[in-house]
Amino acid sequence: MFEVLVYVYENYWQGDACPELHQLSRKLTAVGFEAEEIQAALVWLNGLNIAAQNTQIGLPDEAGVTGGPVVKSTIATTGFLPQSAASLRVYSVAEQEHLGAPALGFVSFLESSGVLPPHMREIVMDRAMAAPGDPLALDDLKIIVLMVYWSFGEEPDALVLDELCDDADFRIAH
């Protein structure tokens, strides 16, 4: 499945350039991916599209963060407030077991670095829980993070992109 996701990321750089899922399925078949991999990737991508659309609809305006009148309308229409700077994300036992310490540590690193905002972190967690693997490989989590950025039409910072695409097996310790 992750090979298909990497292909989609590389060939449809902006998420809005990606064809509809049924057309994408035909293109992936023509490229030579196996039907099971394509189906798993399309189900996963559909979940990503739904999560990204729902999150973009529910994101508060900047005025809402400061406590202006937008917060009240945000609560009324979406049912949630923006995350407070003092809030804490507690990972469930299922998330801890499925992701493992390296993946959770990487999510924490991205979040503490300020490059993975809370709304994107939650989509990463949702899509990571929907991915195969127990525990999820760190390289697979990095692909998930890239795909979440892709779904929002954002390109990660160059240093973050380097970290996401870096193969630690080829690093030389000094």
Side-chain angles (χ1 to χ4, degrees), residues 110-133:
L110 292 175
E111 189 175 10
S112 65
S113 299
V115 297
L116 189 65
H119 67 281
M120 290 176 75
R121 178 204 57 220
E122 290 307 313
I123 295 176
V124 167
M125 295 304 298
D126 175 67
R127 295 294 76 211
M129 292 300 290

Side-chain angles (χ1 to χ4, degrees), residues 54-94:
N54 289 340
T55 301
Q56 289 173 345
I57 291 169
L59 285 177
D61 293 344
E62 290 299 319
V65 175
T66 62
V70 177
V71 170
K72 292 179 183 175
S73 66
T74 301
I75 295 171
T77 58
T78 64
F80 66 88
L81 285 170
Q83 179 174 318
S84 165
S87 65
L88 175 69
R89 170 61 154 92
V90 178
Y91 297 101
S92 71
V93 173

Side-chain angles (χ1 to χ4, degrees), residues 75-161:
I75 295 171
T77 58
T78 64
F80 66 88
L81 285 170
Q83 179 174 318
S84 165
S87 65
L88 175 69
R89 170 61 154 92
V90 178
Y91 297 101
S92 71
V93 173
E95 289 171 332
Q96 292 176 33
E97 289 175 354
H98 184 68
L99 271 71
L104 286 174
F106 188 72
V107 169
S108 178
F109 161 72
L110 292 175
E111 189 175 10
S112 65
S113 299
V115 297
L116 189 65
H119 67 281
M120 290 176 75
R121 178 204 57 220
E122 290 307 313
I123 295 176
V124 167
M125 295 304 298
D126 175 67
R127 295 294 76 211
M129 292 300 290
D134 236 358
L136 185 67
L138 183 57
D139 288 341
D140 294 343
L141 178 72
K142 290 178 179 183
I143 293 168
I144 291 170
V145 172
L146 278 173
M147 294 304 293
V148 169
Y149 271 101
W150 175 83
S151 70
F152 280 89
E154 295 180 22
E155 184 177 336
D157 178 78
L159 293 174
V160 174
L161 189 59

